[in-house]
Amino acid sequence: MKGSAVSHVEVGHLTYVLPDGRPLLDDVSFRVGEGVKAALVGPNGAGKTTLVRLIAGDLQPIEGSVASSGGLGVMRQFIGGIRDDRTVHDLLLGVAPPGVRRAAELLAQAELAMMERDDEKTQLRYAQAITDYTDAGGYDIEVLWDTCTVAALGVPYDRVKYREVNTLSGGEQKRLVLEALLRGPDQVLLLDEPDNYLDVPGKIWLEQALRETPKTVLLVSHDRQLLADAVDRIVTVESGNVWIHGGGFAGYSEARRERNERLEELRRRWDEEHAKLRRLVVMLKQKATYNDGMAAAYHAAQTRLRRFEEAGPPEVPPKDQLISMRLRGGRTGKRAVVCEGLELTGLMRPFDQEIWYGERVAVLGSNGSGKSHFLRLLGGEPIAHTGVAKLGARVVPGHFAQTHARPELTGRTPCEIVMAEHARPRNEAMKALSRYELAGTIGDQRFETLSGGQQARLQILLLELSGATLLLLDEPTDNLDLASAEALQAGLDAFDGTVLAVTHDRWFAADFDRFLIFGADGQVYEAPEPVWDEGRVVRPR
């Protein structure tokens, strides 16, 4: 008889209702077996993060159960913040096994007690806490953490253990937690958007680590290249339930289309049979009123109809997101952007550049090299610089900000924003919002309560309505689900104007014509292909 799997996670008949009473997940069941790398995908707001939190035990379902073996390591969607006063030690302890966390808490309490009073009882308690921490594997895991901090931050654990988490970049925080989970003892990993904030070398490292680890992994990601390179199973969350594609991402779109066609056919047949049975019952009822011999047939038909309806119809095909981005633009002068001896103070060396009407230019390079500042300068913001950056005739810039912290939009609903900023009556505002799947109740939610993907789609709609002829897009696909990212690419293909986009999205960048690279050494240069790790490229002097 075979033994049980070393590591797995299984969800059984899980049902979850949102605090406002709306059903989100209904009778969800699936299993991720030993060593499988599975991705949760689906529209923004479908319940992917909620499902991860239910599996992690952060939320409790209305019904259903979760089982796993091999220990469960969890990376939550947001692992740090601006006001996070935790230390690197606290961050790593937060993803350690429960036994280590409990022993560390008791040791910290015993150390605090020793500082307050140094009697024999306190000393004995402290000695016991050290023994318990050792037995739980606490000191062993600190050796592991040293390897993790060297790999992620380039310094030993003892030198950074008391450093505040908010002094690390988002990418450094993610890399550090990923190193700890991938190297740690837990054999099942739940990773909610592990690639967000990682630069492309970091994403390539993550893809390789996922391929090589023997652990079972369930992750949430919108990065199409990562899904293509590192995942062997797709778990789609939509319409309150899930379905599984057993292959990789390459065949996913075709599999989803074929599945929906099968569901539509099954539903059509069910509707036809239902209508046929109802007609039969009506006909036999009429005949039974004047022919007693038909009563038995009438009752039999009634029973058959009742059982058919009790069995219920087949699953309704999920409604496709119909996102239509009508980015129109307009004809401008031949030279859309001209830079002469441009230098953003302290960020780059002077450079010259011409960008022509209609071009698609991807702005790539290292973090902190000035890419976002460059877009903001072209968008009209007062960015300190020397040299010249000028726009051509009839060039109207429209800026998509990397951060979703938009104080001018906070407290206002998408409908109010579109009505106020673009002089649209409510019905027209809602019509425009519906093309971005932002109408209905979403159109009347405050901006800050929208998901990251919904905020991003609203920003793109505002660009559309602004009449911009030069789109300045700063990481536009970061929070977009798969359908929204594809809709944006289709919208840009039809856009009559010029596009500059800062991106770490390799799939998205493949659509661009030119690649402007902002190097870590301050050099700005052009490359014929995307350059993701610019430090490895040897450039002519």
Side-chain angles (χ1 to χ4, degrees):
M1 181 177 169
K2 284 187 176 181
S4 60
V6 173
S7 62
H8 84 291
V9 61
E10 187 162 1
V11 170
H13 306 289
L14 216 58
T15 296
Y16 184 76
V17 176
L18 292 167
D20 63 7
R22 284 180 293 144
L24 184 66
L25 301 170
D26 180 26
D27 197 29
V28 169
S29 297
F30 67 93
R31 187 180 193 276
V32 182
E34 181 180 358
V36 170
K37 312 301 181 286
L40 282 173
V41 305
N44 295 126
K48 299 184 296 295
T49 291
T50 299
L51 190 48
V52 168
R53 295 183 68 198
L54 286 163
I55 297 170
D58 299 342
L59 297 173
Q60 296 303 312
I62 302 297
E63 290 181 336
S65 62
V66 175
S68 65
S69 61
L72 192 64
V74 184
M75 169 185 270
R76 289 165 178 82
Q77 187 175 20
F78 303 107
I79 60 173
I82 295 171
R83 295 179 178 82
D84 195 339
D85 58 0
R86 292 178 303 160
T87 63
V88 166
H89 167 79
D90 298 331
L91 182 66
L92 290 168
L93 191 61
V95 294
V100 174
R101 292 203 301 271
R102 285 194 297 270
E105 185 179 347
L106 293 173
L107 179 57
Q109 291 171 0
E111 288 173 340
L112 188 62
M114 282 286 292
M115 293 171 64
E116 293 174 351
R117 58 186 183 279
D118 191 8
D119 55 28
E120 184 178 357
K121 184 178 179 182
T122 308
Q123 289 173 356
L124 288 172
R125 180 186 170 195
Y126 180 57
Q128 186 61 50
I130 291 175
T131 301
D132 293 344
Y133 186 63
T134 304
D135 291 345
Y139 292 109
D140 291 335
I141 210 163
E142 287 188 20
V143 174
L144 175 71
W145 291 346
D146 189 68
T147 305
C148 295
T149 58
V150 169
L153 308 175
V155 287
Y157 171 66
D158 280 342
R159 282 178 50 192
V160 292
K161 63 191 292 187
Y162 298 120
R163 184 172 165 183
E164 289 190 356
V165 169
N166 61 15
T167 65
L168 304 179
S169 71
E172 287 173 327
Q173 293 176 30
K174 288 264 174 153
R175 177 70 184 263
L176 183 56
V177 170
L178 285 166
E179 290 278 2
L181 288 171
L182 286 161
R183 297 173 186 271
D186 292 321
Q187 294 304 301
V188 177
L189 302 184
L190 296 179
L191 309 177
D192 195 351
E193 301 198 12
D195 50 286
N196 265 17
Y197 302 112
L198 293 182
D199 58 14
V200 171
K203 292 183 180 188
I204 292 170
W205 164 82
L206 175 59
E207 290 163 5
Q208 183 175 350
L210 290 172
R211 287 194 299 268
E212 293 176 353
T213 184
K215 299 185 179 193
T216 302
V217 180
L218 179 62
L219 62 88
V220 177
S221 178
H222 298 136
D223 188 303
R224 291 165 287 180
Q225 195 66 53
L226 183 142
L227 294 174
D229 291 347
V231 166
D232 47 37
R233 192 157 305 169
I234 309 286
V235 182
T236 304
V237 185
E238 55 186 351
S239 300
N241 213 303
V242 304
W243 62 276
I244 314 295
H245 171 54
F249 186 67
Y252 172 70
S253 292
E254 180 67 14
R256 184 176 183 275
R257 184 187 63 75
E258 289 177 354
R259 176 180 184 271
N260 287 352
E261 287 176 354
R262 286 196 304 273
L263 290 176
E264 285 171 0
E265 177 63 16
L266 288 171
R267 182 68 190 221
R268 184 185 63 77
R269 290 181 184 178
W270 190 92
D271 288 340
E272 287 176 354
E273 182 67 16
H274 190 213
K276 180 179 167 185
L277 287 173
R278 292 184 69 173
R279 285 196 302 270
L280 179 63
V281 167
V282 170
M283 180 188 73
L284 291 174
K285 180 181 180 181
Q286 290 172 344
K287 290 189 176 183
T289 56
Y290 55 82
N291 184 347
D292 290 342
M294 299 301 295
Y298 168 54
H299 291 307
Q302 277 186 310
T303 300
R304 186 178 171 193
L305 175 61
R306 186 181 71 252
R307 288 175 179 169
F308 184 84
E309 290 177 339
E310 284 172 353
E315 182 181 343
V316 177
K319 176 176 156 288
D320 281 329
Q321 290 190 88
L322 299 174
I323 299 170
S324 173
M325 299 184 179
R326 298 174 186 168
L327 297 161
R328 291 186 177 83
R331 186 79 196 186
T332 69
K334 288 184 179 179
R335 288 180 178 83
V337 178
V338 176
C339 301
E340 297 172 349
L342 177 63
E343 177 185 0
L344 301 191
T345 307
L347 289 174
M348 65 184 69
R349 299 179 189 177
F351 71 99
D352 300 331
Q353 188 62 235
E354 287 185 344
I355 295 168
W356 297 74
Y357 160 76
E359 287 189 319
R360 288 359 186 201
V361 181
V363 183
L364 312 177
S366 56
N367 289 332
S369 58
K371 304 186 301 294
S372 295
H373 283 71
F374 177 54
L375 292 199
R376 289 169 58 196
L377 175 66
L378 296 180
E381 293 188 38
I383 303 296
H385 70 284
T386 56
V388 174
K390 60 186 178 184
L391 304 182
R394 298 182 299 283
V395 172
V396 179
H399 184 219
F400 176 102
Q402 182 181 23
T403 174
H404 295 287
R406 297 285 298 272
E408 77 280 13
L409 302 182
T410 300
R412 302 161 67 193
T413 69
C415 189
E416 290 169 348
I417 292 164
V418 172
M419 288 171 66
E421 300 203 3
H422 298 284
R424 302 290 178 103
R426 180 179 170 86
N427 64 326
E428 285 190 24
M430 278 296 190
K431 190 174 179 181
L433 288 165
S434 70
R435 290 193 289 100
Y436 284 70
E437 298 266 333
L438 294 171
T441 57
I442 298 171
D444 289 319
Q445 288 179 221
R446 294 192 311 277
F447 177 79
E448 63 272 20
T449 69
L450 302 178
S451 72
Q454 290 165 343
Q455 290 182 359
R457 293 205 300 270
L458 178 60
Q459 278 207 67
I460 297 167
L461 172 59
L462 295 178
L463 284 183
E464 174 192 309
L465 298 176
S466 73
T469 57
L470 168 65
L471 298 181
L472 305 166
L473 309 177
D474 198 349
E475 300 283 7
T477 61
D478 253 15
N479 289 292
L480 295 179
D481 56 40
L482 301 180
S484 301
E486 289 170 3
L488 174 60
Q489 289 185 244
L492 294 181
D493 285 344
F495 176 66
D496 181 20
T498 309
V499 180
L500 271 75
V502 171
T503 187
H504 288 124
D505 183 336
R506 290 157 289 171
W507 202 286
F508 180 61
D511 275 1
F512 284 70
D513 309 320
R514 295 173 59 189
F515 304 95
L516 193 62
I517 317 300
F518 281 50
D521 61 357
Q523 294 277 8
V524 178
Y525 64 99
E526 193 162 345
E529 299 290 337
V531 175
W532 299 116
D533 188 356
E534 66 83 31
R536 295 182 184 171
V537 175
V538 178
R539 299 185 295 279
R541 294 184 180 276

